[in-house]
Amino acid sequence: MTTIAIRGGRVVDQLGERAVDVVVDDVTGTIVAMAETVEADATIDAEGCLILPGFVDLHVHLRQPGNEAAETIETGTRAAALGGYTAVVAMPNTTPCMDSAGVVEEVLAHGKVALCEVKPSAAITVGRMGEALAPMGELVDLGVRMFTDDGTGVQDAQLMRRALEYAGSLVVDDGTPIVLSQHCEVTALSQGGVMNEGAWSSRLGLGGQPAEAEELMVARDIALSRLTGVRVHLQHLSTAGSVALVRAAKAEGHPVTAEATPHHFTLTDAECASYDPVFKVHPPLRTAADVAAVKEGLVDGTIDAIATDHAPHTLDSKEQPFDEAPPGMLGLESAFALANTELDCTIPQLVNLLSTAPARIAGLSDRHGGPIEVGRAANLAVVDTEHRWTVDRNALASLSTNTPFHGREVRGKVRHTVLSGEPVVVDGRATR
Amino acid sequence: MKNLLSISDLDRADLEGILDLAASFAEVQSRDIPKVPALRGKTVVLAFFEDSTRTRTSFDLAARRLSADVVNFSVASSATRKGESLRDTVETISAMGVDAIVVRHGSSGAPHRIARWTDAAVVNAGDGWHQHPTQALLDCFTICNKLGGLDGRKVAICGDIQHSRVARSNVEAFTKLGAEVVLIGPRTMLPPSLDGWPVKVEPDLDAVLPDIDVAYFLRIQQERLSEGLFPSIREYRVRYGLTTERAARLRPDALVMHPGPMNRGVEIDPEVAADPRAVVLEQVAAGVPVRMAVLYGLVGPGRFDPQDTEPQRQGVA
């Protein structure tokens, strides 16, 4: 047994803030003591830092199996650990798609030795084709709790209704919730669009996706959650209209949750003027008014969680014209810094957005999301909220370099990450 | 100026400088031997990722009349079909030591990307729905020749504005040279937002006809019909075509323009295309001296300085 004391920091979680050392055990993977006087085999310095529950990302593309040139479970989870994440939900749009037990088992096997917990999601429909339900019951038995056709939305309202009803009736042994996660985009309306529809797309001569293409499906799925009584999680909200719809739905008590990405609360469609596909993403970067609304939604609790939609792509695939390049951008290693820099909220709010709420949505609350207490799983992020640094695409752990934040100065750095008692990141470096 | 990517990058003085230079090259065209040694030893690559016989031929002639070596890089033989990235293709062309790359690409912004990956001058010969700056220059050249200038002139651009690089370039070029521009077309073919566009929109073509100096009609593409942007070719012609009846209501000194190729009987009636006010072939003819001016300006001796066109003229002579 090796015990490690994290000394000199202040713990912040849903129980409040207190100055206390945290001692973890890397064999049991738990927190064994919270006091200054306890001896330990090793020490990690947290002077001037905050000790937070490890972050949980509801939306990560690890690209394995199928596109290991862009990212692998190993490199993606190393990026996650460096970003303070102790758990990520892997999106199912791999090749082959995570719509059957074999592929999910492969991801689970790689995830066991990764640098953070990998929680596989699985497709709602076979092949993410939107035509027939994937074997949800079988996948739930393997531990899948989130279903999504991410990358595309389930276009057929009747099929989505059936998916909600079917998922809602599945019995789960451990009582953790099952959630259907929707990529909100009505493709009939977004078709041909490679950026936000508006003044910039008009000027640049690029096809646009109107905000309404997203909002129609947000509204539809709120209606379906009302109809079925089953919870819907709405992915990467990007428009002011979507935020308003979710706010109203929550006020009426409908069982919906929502996430937003760092790029949607920091960047606008003006970035596309460079024609650099590093700024191409679905849903697209929107207007300054949308960015403000997403921020407001995060701060006032309308949007439950920050999720990165970390989407690695090889350099080659992004060195194409804007309309031909694939959509998606990196996010894991800069998310905390951007949230800390850009959002006008308290540290407990940030903990909720980055850890507690997403852990609850993903069904990981038993071991992620805090509180930081003796006996709980030792999944922790130790951060320096004042540390300033500049994002450098060449200094990332991800196999890919497609960060839209290259050269941006941000405030807040993840110093250490502890995964089940093991320090996987120490002083900003991955230990394996 | 290293590249010509968009009319947005040019101000009025730049435009006038290029047009003045083009005028001197037009004079060269009338000589027995319409060729000058200005770009001898320079290599111009015509990289057409999207086919266009007219524009490619015009650039080809322009470069040859400046005595440049011209290489065609056509899409059929290009490596992008083999999965190579655009950057690889551009760096390969660039590594062979070329002075200018003339790019036609179906994707908006492709020339902007290419310009970042090469030291050669990049000339945009049309990118997606975005820009076609030499088309705008040759249109301005034609109007200036016929009407003496664009200041105070009223130009109507009619048709599929949203999918038209010609419209985007011309709106900027015409207005920078002092013209008023009105856009006419069904809402399905207008850009979703005209914020910041120095134009008026007029839903009714007939309302503006008696009033305009230039009637510019855009080519309508069959694929827009299948996308449901308008109900039928017949209805398009009735609402937005320059029929003989409409042409009769244009002023006698008005110009009728079209970037070609024309759909006779759709956006323009055959009789109107043959009307003396239609200057479609003059537009084509202007293409060569205008593109000579652009190539000369970008890769010629001393390069192009819009504030001082005299040295170039001496260089030409």
Side-chain angles (χ1 to χ4, degrees):
Chain A
M1 163 167 159
T2 308
T3 54
I4 302 154
I6 304 163
R7 298 207 192 272
R10 299 179 67 80
V11 168
V12 183
D13 62 7
Q14 52 271 63
L15 303 178
E17 179 172 349
R18 58 260 184 219
V20 62
D21 292 356
V22 178
V23 183
V24 302
D25 178 337
D26 71 354
V27 176
T28 63
T30 57
I31 297 167
V32 291
M34 289 183 68
E36 267 103 280
T37 52
V38 178
E39 293 293 316
D41 302 323
T43 299
I44 292 176
D45 175 38
E47 194 66 45
C49 293
L50 301 179
I51 304 167
L52 312 177
F55 306 147
V56 176
D57 196 337
L58 290 171
H59 198 141
V60 170
H61 298 273
L62 294 175
R63 301 297 187 217
Q64 189 177 356
N67 191 6
E68 289 84 352
E71 196 79 288
T72 65
I73 291 172
E74 184 191 335
T75 59
T77 57
R78 188 171 293 124
L82 287 163
Y85 288 93
T86 52
V88 298
V89 179
M91 290 294 107
N93 62 336
T94 47
T95 313
C97 170
M98 289 153 68
D99 63 356
S100 63
V103 187
V104 169
E105 280 170 341
E106 184 186 341
V107 173
L108 280 169
H110 287 288
K112 282 207 169 62
V113 292
L115 280 84
C116 72
E117 178 168 351
V118 176
K119 184 77 170 170
S121 64
I124 296 171
T125 68
V126 175
R128 300 169 46 251
M129 300 298 285
E131 288 161 6
L133 292 185
M136 300 172 99
E138 184 184 4
L139 297 165
V140 164
D141 289 344
L142 286 175
V144 173
R145 292 295 178 269
M146 179 182 284
F147 291 89
T148 176
D149 277 3
D150 179 47
T152 183
V154 178
Q155 302 298 309
D156 181 333
Q158 178 74 319
L159 187 64
M160 189 62 195
R161 175 193 179 168
R162 299 297 182 222
L164 285 165
E165 289 173 335
Y166 188 80
S169 65
L170 289 170
V171 177
V172 182
D173 294 343
D174 60 8
T176 53
I178 295 171
V179 64
L180 266 60
S181 242
Q182 188 72 281
H183 173 120
C184 295
E185 178 184 342
V186 173
T187 53
L189 203 51
S190 65
Q191 203 170 30
V194 296
M195 66 173 292
N196 181 51
E197 179 177 304
W200 277 107
S201 71
S202 298
R203 198 170 143 187
L204 296 171
L206 290 168
Q209 300 187 3
E212 286 74 7
E214 173 175 318
E215 291 156 7
L216 275 179
M217 195 170 281
V218 169
R220 184 201 74 177
D221 280 13
I222 289 169
L224 290 176
S225 78
R226 184 174 61 214
L227 176 66
T228 61
V230 178
R231 195 157 59 99
V232 176
H233 177 71
L234 304 165
Q235 295 179 314
H236 40 50
L237 296 191
S238 70
T239 79
S242 294
V243 177
L245 285 164
V246 172
R247 188 176 287 127
K250 287 190 165 184
E252 289 173 24
H254 301 309
V256 296
T257 54
E259 66 184 39
T261 70
H263 47 270
H264 286 121
F265 67 69
T266 52
L267 303 174
T268 70
D269 58 354
E271 301 286 354
C272 301
S274 65
Y275 289 104
D276 186 342
V278 80
F279 297 107
K280 181 176 175 181
V281 65
H282 288 175
L285 301 176
R286 306 284 188 181
T287 67
D290 294 309
V291 168
V294 169
K295 279 178 153 174
E296 193 189 345
L298 284 163
V299 173
D300 74 12
T302 300
I303 302 171
D304 300 82
I306 293 168
T308 64
D309 194 3
H310 180 82
H313 287 290
T314 61
L315 198 55
D316 269 14
S317 68
K318 284 286 193 183
E319 287 182 339
Q320 301 288 5
F322 196 90
D323 57 353
E324 291 177 14
M329 40 183 68
L330 301 184
L332 284 166
E333 293 174 70
S334 50
F336 167 72
L338 289 162
N340 185 57
T341 309
E342 298 294 334
L343 297 179
D344 185 19
C345 64
T346 63
I347 296 296
Q349 278 180 294
L350 277 186
V351 168
N352 188 48
L353 287 166
L354 285 162
S355 180
T356 310
R360 188 175 61 240
I361 293 165
L364 293 168
S365 289
D366 61 323
R367 54 194 185 278
H368 294 275
I372 298 173
E373 285 181 310
V374 173
R376 294 265 313 172
N379 291 312
L380 304 166
V382 180
V383 303
D384 178 348
T385 56
E386 296 306 317
H387 184 99
R388 287 174 190 277
W389 58 289
T390 302
V391 180
D392 176 358
R393 64 180 165 225
N394 300 311
L396 301 175
S398 173
L399 268 190
S400 294
T401 56
N402 57 308
T403 171
F405 302 110
H406 178 68
R408 188 184 182 106
E409 200 194 68
V410 290
R411 185 169 51 81
K413 186 101 172 114
V414 174
R415 203 166 154 204
H416 317 299
T417 305
V418 177
L419 173 68
S420 292
E422 179 197 357
V424 287
V425 172
V426 175
D427 283 323
R429 287 166 193 272
T431 57
R432 61 182 172 98
Chain B
M1 189 164 63
K2 180 180 169 281
N3 307 303
L4 177 62
L5 301 177
S6 167
I7 297 292
S8 317
D9 303 333
L10 306 177
D11 61 19
R12 181 173 180 138
D14 297 329
L15 291 168
E16 288 174 343
I18 296 170
L19 295 176
D20 284 351
L21 194 52
S24 57
F25 282 123
E27 184 272 319
V28 170
Q29 301 292 290
S30 62
R31 298 182 193 169
D32 290 344
I33 300 171
K35 191 162 177 169
V36 290
L39 295 190
R40 196 158 57 195
K42 302 284 186 185
T43 304
V44 175
V45 174
L46 306 180
F48 277 57
F49 296 86
E50 178 186 82
D51 196 35
S52 165
T53 312
R54 304 158 67 99
T55 304
R56 196 182 58 229
T57 305
S58 182
F59 268 108
D60 199 340
L61 281 173
R64 287 176 202 278
R65 286 178 184 174
L66 291 166
S67 305
D69 296 318
V70 182
V71 180
N72 269 286
F73 178 89
S74 69
V75 71
S77 60
S78 89
T80 57
R81 286 276 169 90
K82 298 171 191 159
E84 190 178 72
S85 76
L86 182 62
R87 180 177 185 154
D88 286 337
T89 306
V90 169
E91 288 181 344
T92 302
I93 296 173
S94 215
M96 296 176 198
V98 303
D99 299 287
I101 305 178
V102 177
V103 179
R104 162 65 67 93
H105 203 293
S107 297
S108 296
H112 294 68
R113 302 295 296 152
I114 288 170
R116 294 176 65 97
W117 298 323
T118 179
D119 291 330
V122 175
V123 181
N124 183 357
D127 64 324
W129 308 337
H130 179 227
Q131 283 272 321
H132 194 353
T134 58
Q135 176 75 41
L137 287 163
L138 70 88
D139 289 333
C140 292
F141 187 84
T142 305
I143 296 170
C144 290
N145 269 354
K146 290 283 177 181
L147 303 180
L150 277 142
D151 270 315
R153 297 294 186 177
K154 287 186 178 161
V155 183
I157 303 177
C158 181
D160 185 3
I161 312 291
Q162 162 67 348
H163 304 99
S164 176
R165 53 188 167 224
V166 175
R168 281 189 179 75
S169 315
N170 272 337
V171 163
E172 289 194 65
F174 293 165
T175 54
K176 280 178 178 177
L177 291 173
E180 284 175 40
V181 174
V182 54
L183 302 180
I184 298 153
R187 176 72 187 272
T188 51
M189 292 181 174
L190 292 177
S193 164
L194 289 169
D195 276 2
W197 292 46
V199 297
K200 284 185 215 157
V201 175
E202 170 58 62
D204 183 7
L205 175 57
D206 290 306
V208 302
L209 283 176
D211 208 36
I212 51 179
D213 298 292
V214 178
Y216 200 110
F217 284 78
L218 298 171
R219 177 178 169 78
I220 193 76
Q221 288 177 304
Q222 287 287 341
E223 66 186 279
R224 306 301 165 212
L225 181 58
S226 57
E227 289 167 9
L229 300 191
F230 60 101
S232 70
I233 292 287
R234 184 182 161 278
E235 182 158 323
Y236 185 85
R237 175 178 172 271
V238 169
R239 299 251 159 191
Y240 302 104
L242 187 59
T243 58
T244 47
E245 296 77 25
R246 286 206 173 96
R249 303 185 53 232
L250 280 172
R251 291 214 311 261
D253 59 344
L255 301 181
V256 173
M257 301 179 77
H258 191 291
M262 289 183 282
N263 291 309
R264 288 191 166 81
V266 184
E267 67 264 2
I268 188 164
D269 276 7
E271 298 80 2
V272 181
D275 187 300
R277 291 172 294 179
V279 292
V280 179
L281 290 178
E282 282 92 333
Q283 290 172 262
V284 175
V288 176
V290 158
R291 287 168 176 131
M292 288 172 80
V294 167
L295 289 172
Y296 183 86
L298 294 176
V299 296
R303 299 211 167 176
F304 176 61
D305 181 351
Q307 303 306 318
D308 180 14
T309 57
E310 280 310 306
Q312 277 86 26
R313 286 191 185 175
Q314 286 162 14
V316 171

